[in-house]
Amino acid sequence: MDVKRITSSILGFPLVVIVFLIGNKIVVDIALAIIAFISMNEYFNAVSKVSKPVKWIGYLSCISLSIIHIIPQEYLSIVGTLSIPTILIILFAQIIATDMKTSFKDIAYTFIGIFYVVFFMMFISLIYGMENGNILIWYAIIAAWGTDIFAYIVGKYLGKHKFSKVSPKKSIEGCIGGVLGAILIMMGYTYIANTYWDMNYSYLLISGIAIVLSFVGQIGDFAASSIKRFVDIKDYSNLIPGHGGMLDRIDSLIFLAPFAYALFTLL
C-alpha cells in the first residue's frame, strides 16, 4: 500500500476537521477560496499546454468564494445564476479587447475551469450554510473520500476487470467497492448523528443519497483523469505526496457537491 498516500491523508484530515468543526462560516469560505485558488492554478497550468487561458478572471472568481457569507440568503440564487452569464460576457469582451489575440478556445478552457472549480466548490459553502450544515457537510466529505479509500483498497486487492481507458488503474470491482464503502461509512455517521446529535435522518434515504453521491463522485474522478490524459500529465501537481495536486484530491468532492446540496434539501 502507498505509504505516502496514507501519511498525507492522515496529516490532511485534521486540517479539514479544524476548518469545518472549529471554524465559522467566514473561516470556511476563506479556506474554500484558498483551495479554489490553488486548484485553479493547477488547472490553468495543465490546460496552458493547449491554450492560453484568461487567468485573471479565473483567480478573481476564486477570491469571490471568500465573500459568499456576506450575500443575504434570499439573494444567493440570483447572484449564482447571474454569475454564469456575467463571466461569459467578460470572457467574450476579452476577445474584443485583445483584438482576437485571446481566442474562443482560450475562453472556452477558462470558462470550463471556472465552472468546474469555482461554481462547483460554491456548493460546499452552500451546504455548510444550510440548517445543520455543520453535520451535513460531512456526508459530502464521507461520500467523496470514503469512496476513494474503499475503491482504492478493493481495486488494489480484488480488481480484475478494468473500468475505462480514461483511468486504466481503476477497476469495476473498485468502483463497486467504493459505493458500498460510502454507504457503510455514511450509515455509521447517520447512527452517530441520530443518537448523539438528535437528528432523525432516514437510513434508507441516506443509503440512496450515498449511492448517488458515490457514483457522481467517481464520475468526477474520471473527469479529472480525462483532462489530465488530454494534456498528457499524470497529476495536476506534486503538492500532496501520494495524491498529486489539490485538484487531484478534491476532484470527487467538488463534482458531487451540487448534487449533495440538492439531495440534502430532502432531509
Side-chain angles (χ1 to χ4, degrees):
M1 191 169 289
D2 195 327
V3 177
K4 286 185 177 180
R5 187 183 184 95
I6 296 174
T7 302
S8 60
S9 295
I10 293 174
L11 294 176
F13 188 72
L15 295 177
V16 178
V17 172
I18 291 172
V19 169
F20 285 110
L21 288 186
I22 300 177
N24 56 19
K25 190 70 170 64
I26 298 174
V27 172
V28 169
D29 287 346
I30 292 175
L32 290 175
I34 294 172
I35 293 171
F37 194 93
I38 295 171
S39 301
M40 183 64 73
N41 186 61
E42 291 176 344
Y43 171 82
F44 280 153
N45 286 339
V47 299
S48 289
K49 290 189 172 186
V50 293
S51 67
K52 296 178 180 178
V54 187
K55 294 183 178 182
W56 69 268
I57 190 171
Y59 295 139
L60 191 62
S61 299
C62 293
I63 296 173
S64 69
L65 283 175
S66 65
I67 59 172
I68 289 181
H69 57 273
I70 71 173
I71 303 173
Q73 192 71 27
E74 60 269 25
Y75 296 123
L76 272 176
S77 60
I78 297 175
V79 173
T81 301
L82 289 178
S83 65
I84 299 172
T86 300
I87 290 171
L88 270 177
I89 289 172
I90 293 173
L91 286 173
F92 277 108
Q94 174 82 7
I95 294 179
I96 299 172
T98 60
D99 197 22
M100 294 189 70
K101 290 180 180 179
T102 298
S103 68
F104 175 74
K105 182 176 74 171
D106 297 333
I107 69 168
Y109 280 106
T110 304
F111 182 73
I112 290 175
I114 293 172
F115 203 87
Y116 177 45
V117 176
V118 181
F119 191 74
F120 279 16
M121 194 173 290
M122 176 185 70
F123 285 93
I124 299 176
S125 177
L126 294 180
I127 292 170
Y128 190 76
M130 298 175 73
E131 183 179 358
N132 300 315
N134 59 329
I135 295 175
L136 294 175
I137 191 65
W138 290 101
Y139 278 114
I141 294 172
I142 288 170
W145 290 359
T147 298
D148 286 348
I149 292 170
F150 275 84
Y152 175 75
I153 295 174
V154 173
K156 184 176 180 65
Y157 294 103
L158 300 176
K160 294 181 180 179
H161 301 87
K162 300 302 180 183
F163 191 88
S164 170
K165 291 182 179 179
V166 173
S167 190
K169 291 185 178 180
K170 291 182 174 59
S171 65
I172 295 176
E173 292 85 357
C175 292
I176 295 173
V179 174
L180 295 177
I183 295 173
L184 180 64
I185 301 177
M186 288 175 72
M187 288 297 97
Y189 181 67
T190 300
Y191 174 79
I192 294 173
N194 288 348
T195 304
Y196 298 102
W197 301 328
D198 296 323
M199 297 294 108
N200 189 29
Y201 296 144
S202 164
Y203 286 95
L204 182 61
L205 183 57
I206 292 297
S207 295
I209 291 175
I211 293 172
V212 173
L213 296 187
S214 180
F215 176 76
V216 173
Q218 292 190 65
I219 296 299
D221 195 18
F222 279 106
S225 295
S226 68
I227 295 172
K228 289 185 289 185
R229 277 196 162 275
F230 181 70
V231 297
D232 195 26
I233 59 174
K234 182 179 182 295
D235 295 313
Y236 281 106
S237 75
N238 59 0
L239 178 66
I240 308 173
H243 291 280
M246 180 65 72
L247 197 51
D248 293 293
R249 182 82 287 257
I250 66 169
D251 52 9
S252 299
L253 178 59
I254 59 176
F255 220 81
L256 65 78
F259 296 88
Y261 177 74
L263 290 171
F264 290 162
T265 60
L266 300 175
L267 297 174

